[in-house]
Amino acid sequence: MLLGIPRLSYDNIPQSHSAEETVVTIAADPRVVCRVNTGNARLVALTFDDGPDPRFTPRVLDILKHYHIKATFFIVGQNAEKYPYLVRRIAREGHSIQNHTYSHPDLPGCNRKKASEELLKNEAVIKRLSGKSPRYFRPPKGLLDDEIIEISRAKGYRIVLWTVAVENSTLISAEDVAMSTLNRAQPGAILLAHDGRLDRSLTVEALPFIIQGYHQKGYRFVLLEELLNYEAIDR
Ligand SMILES: [Zn+2]
């Protein structure tokens, strides 16, 4: 079943949160990464938000291991504290762990102090459990405003959204999910999937098809760090 999965994609990220708040026009803002220019290099980064979650994260990790793929996990601090063994496993298996806030609030509705705490509290959890400091930040649901952007930049983060959202509530089979994701394949894309919070069974089921399909098209999956390194290449 695919119930209640938010319809968030590059095309339909909410453009305004409320009448009072200005959510930036994300794709055009140079402070926010949505895709990386890798030239002709067929590289993509697979990212998972909202975990860890014992219902889905172990299965995702098993699939990634089977295909020898490294992915990037934007984890939620509260979940990490509940399931520290999953965070350790993600780190041990060579994946990247990044910051998706401590409790997954809609940040444009938070005050400055609360927004800072959300970032720093999760950062401390990630450091403690993985031994590494996160460098990238993805706000829950992609919701941003100027203040959130400046707060996270001041704390040394790069804000990373996505190019292709894997989940979409109109897709009801794993094959459809995989096909929809494959049809939007492009070099330098950042793929957004989820391994927690809601029912992600369909994502897990679609994952092998997505991986095989990208491989057949000549794509290689890399960590977000590696994809972002391509920004520095002069071409
Ligand atoms: Zn999220």
Side-chain angles (χ1 to χ4, degrees):
M1 289 294 285
L2 186 71
L3 288 172
I5 290 180
R7 295 188 60 186
L8 287 171
S9 75
Y10 183 68
D11 295 319
N12 59 11
I13 290 170
Q15 290 298 302
S16 64
H17 186 65
S18 78
E20 290 75 36
E21 293 151 354
T22 308
V23 173
V24 291
T25 307
I26 289 161
D29 194 309
R31 298 170 299 176
V32 177
V33 180
C34 294
R35 182 181 161 243
V36 177
N37 179 8
T38 58
N40 293 324
R42 292 195 162 209
L43 301 175
V44 289
L46 183 55
T47 67
F48 292 90
D49 287 10
D50 295 357
D53 185 319
R55 296 171 298 170
F56 309 111
T57 309
R59 290 157 67 196
V60 166
L61 289 170
D62 289 346
I63 294 166
L64 296 176
K65 190 187 268 182
H66 177 81
Y67 289 99
H68 306 287
I69 284 170
K70 303 296 179 212
T72 302
F73 290 78
F74 283 90
I75 69 170
V76 173
Q78 269 178 347
N79 298 345
E81 283 182 336
K82 256 189 251 170
Y83 311 110
Y85 63 95
L86 288 176
V87 180
R88 292 196 192 95
R89 180 175 168 197
I90 294 170
R92 192 171 62 238
E93 296 186 1
H95 305 291
S96 171
I97 298 177
Q98 303 298 332
N99 199 332
H100 194 47
T101 70
Y102 181 76
S103 69
H104 207 270
D106 288 357
L107 285 175
C110 297
N111 65 35
R112 220 183 153 79
K113 184 165 172 280
K114 162 86 171 156
S116 292
E117 279 170 10
E118 282 287 334
L119 266 173
L120 292 180
K121 208 168 164 188
N122 193 24
E123 183 177 305
V125 172
I126 293 172
K127 269 191 207 169
R128 178 160 52 80
L129 293 175
S130 76
K132 284 187 187 163
S133 296
R135 298 157 58 196
Y136 307 121
F137 170 58
R138 180 177 285 158
K141 304 177 192 169
L143 292 173
L144 280 172
D145 60 20
D146 253 322
E147 199 171 45
I148 304 303
I149 292 176
E150 288 313 317
I151 288 170
S152 40
R153 280 161 61 89
K155 299 192 183 316
Y157 281 97
R158 287 205 69 186
I159 299 162
V160 179
L161 297 180
W162 58 88
T163 322
V164 175
V166 169
E167 293 101 349
N168 178 322
S169 58
T170 62
L171 303 169
I172 53 166
S173 76
E175 288 80 1
D176 286 347
V177 172
M179 198 51 73
S180 158
T181 307
L182 273 168
N183 287 341
R184 290 174 288 160
Q186 56 175 303
I190 299 164
L191 272 57
L192 166 69
H194 291 81
D195 65 329
R197 204 162 55 87
L198 306 176
D199 183 358
R200 308 303 185 185
S201 309
L202 205 57
T203 304
V204 174
E205 211 185 312
L207 193 53
F209 297 112
I210 293 170
I211 293 169
Q212 287 169 28
Y214 271 76
H215 282 166
Q216 275 164 17
K217 286 180 176 234
Y219 283 89
R220 190 160 69 81
F221 291 92
V222 295
L223 290 179
L224 196 53
E225 289 89 318
E226 194 181 329
L227 198 70
L228 284 161
N229 281 341
Y230 270 77
E231 282 178 323
I233 295 174
D234 202 13
R235 53 173 79 78

